[in-house]
Amino acid sequence: MKRIRYMVFRNLILVPIMWIKLFYYAAHAEKYTDEQHSKMLKFIVKRANKGGNVTIDIHGQENIPADNGFIFFPNHQGLYDVLAIMEACPRPFSVVAKKEVEDHFFLKRVFACLRAHTIDRDDVRQGMKVITEVSNEVLSGRNYIIFAEGTRSKNGNQVQEFKAGSFKAATKAQCPIVPVALIDSFKPFDTNTISPVTVQVHFLKPLYYEDYREMKTKEIAVLVRKRIEEAIQKAA
């Protein structure tokens, strides 16, 4: 990936220090609070973005719930998505990701610091266990990102179908659902260029439990996807 190499080159002095720190934090995740992990990762992401000609255009931070214990549901464009939200969001969060991400040398450490959960899409029982664990953690005050599309889009800013099962953790926790519209988040890592790029992160108005308690998860999925599509079309 050309831009990642460019990010490394333009932060050459800091890279060894931050790489060692990232590995240490990842290997000893239990020693640090979510806030400490978040602060360390934000520093790395901001330096990488500056070096890689990536600008994060942030909208709607006021829509993030005042109390912890909510789930972000963004559209999924590429490997960069979590890093874009990390710079844009002032609060710590964790992630539910597909198991294959554990093979990525950098994201594996980032997700270890986030104490993320990974889902094996071929193992239904393991997936249900993850949903239960995530809902319990949300009830205890942790925040999460869940990509309801299940896999990243190959069509730029077009949004794929949202899977109803992705919302089970939210309905079990009865927590706020925060739709997040990502625009051009595929460009930093999924295009072969180092030209300046702006990634838009739009935090949309949340759905609270009283808003969706009578809805089926399939209906919630359709509604959240629609709101994200509308935000993307409006901003385009």
Side-chain angles (χ1 to χ4, degrees):
M1 298 177 186
K2 189 181 292 185
R3 194 179 301 272
I4 292 179
R5 292 194 293 269
Y6 194 56
M7 287 175 170
V8 171
F9 176 75
R10 294 191 66 188
N11 288 284
L12 209 52
I13 296 175
L14 273 177
V15 165
I17 299 170
M18 297 314 300
W19 190 245
I20 292 170
K21 194 170 185 177
L22 176 63
F23 263 73
Y24 186 82
Y25 271 61
H28 303 88
E30 71 287 347
K31 291 179 61 175
Y32 301 95
T33 66
D34 288 346
E35 288 74 17
Q36 288 172 320
H37 279 295
S38 179
K39 183 178 179 180
M40 183 271 297
L41 291 171
K42 277 178 177 290
F43 178 82
I44 293 176
V45 170
K46 287 182 178 180
R47 295 293 304 200
N49 284 341
K50 185 175 181 180
N53 292 330
V54 181
T55 300
I56 307 299
D57 184 16
I58 307 167
H59 302 263
Q61 281 186 334
E62 69 278 5
N63 290 323
I64 299 174
D67 297 323
N68 287 324
F70 55 81
I71 302 179
F72 290 126
F73 284 91
N75 54 313
H76 195 11
Q77 296 195 344
L79 294 173
Y80 184 77
D81 295 349
V82 172
L83 305 184
I85 298 172
M86 190 171 292
E87 177 165 337
C89 182
R91 311 265 282 284
F93 59 80
S94 189
V95 184
V96 177
K98 59 184 180 181
K99 189 175 179 61
E100 291 83 346
V101 176
E102 293 179 335
D103 297 329
H104 192 280
F105 73 101
F106 174 66
L107 290 181
K108 179 178 181 178
R109 274 78 194 184
V110 171
F111 284 3
C113 289
L114 295 175
R115 289 193 280 270
H117 288 276
T118 57
I119 284 185
D120 184 347
R121 292 178 291 183
D122 296 324
D123 188 337
V124 176
R125 181 175 294 179
Q126 187 263 356
M128 292 303 298
K129 181 181 177 182
V130 168
I131 287 171
T132 299
E133 290 174 351
V134 169
S135 64
N136 288 336
E137 289 182 30
V138 171
L139 281 169
S140 71
R142 296 196 80 208
N143 310 314
Y144 267 86
I145 290 178
I146 295 178
F147 292 103
E149 288 167 284
T151 187
R152 53 185 168 164
S153 172
K154 300 296 185 181
N155 297 307
N157 291 317
Q158 294 183 27
V159 183
Q160 303 176 99
E161 180 182 353
F162 276 24
K163 294 177 170 56
S166 302
F167 293 87
K168 288 181 179 178
T171 57
K172 284 174 70 70
Q174 300 181 10
C175 70
I177 291 171
V178 185
V180 182
L182 298 175
I183 300 175
D184 292 340
S185 186
F186 65 96
K187 290 183 177 180
F189 287 173
D190 293 272
T191 58
N192 193 30
T193 177
I194 58 174
S195 299
V197 60
T198 297
V199 175
Q200 296 183 45
V201 180
H202 296 257
F203 298 105
L204 308 181
K205 289 184 178 181
L207 289 169
Y208 291 95
Y209 182 60
E210 55 267 27
D211 298 322
Y212 67 80
R213 63 186 302 170
E214 303 297 332
M215 299 173 66
K216 297 179 180 178
T217 53
K218 186 174 182 179
E219 295 172 322
I220 299 171
V222 171
L223 177 59
V224 172
R225 179 191 178 194
K226 181 181 178 182
R227 289 192 177 184
I228 290 172
E229 285 182 321
E230 288 174 349
I232 292 173
Q233 291 168 5
K234 185 177 179 180

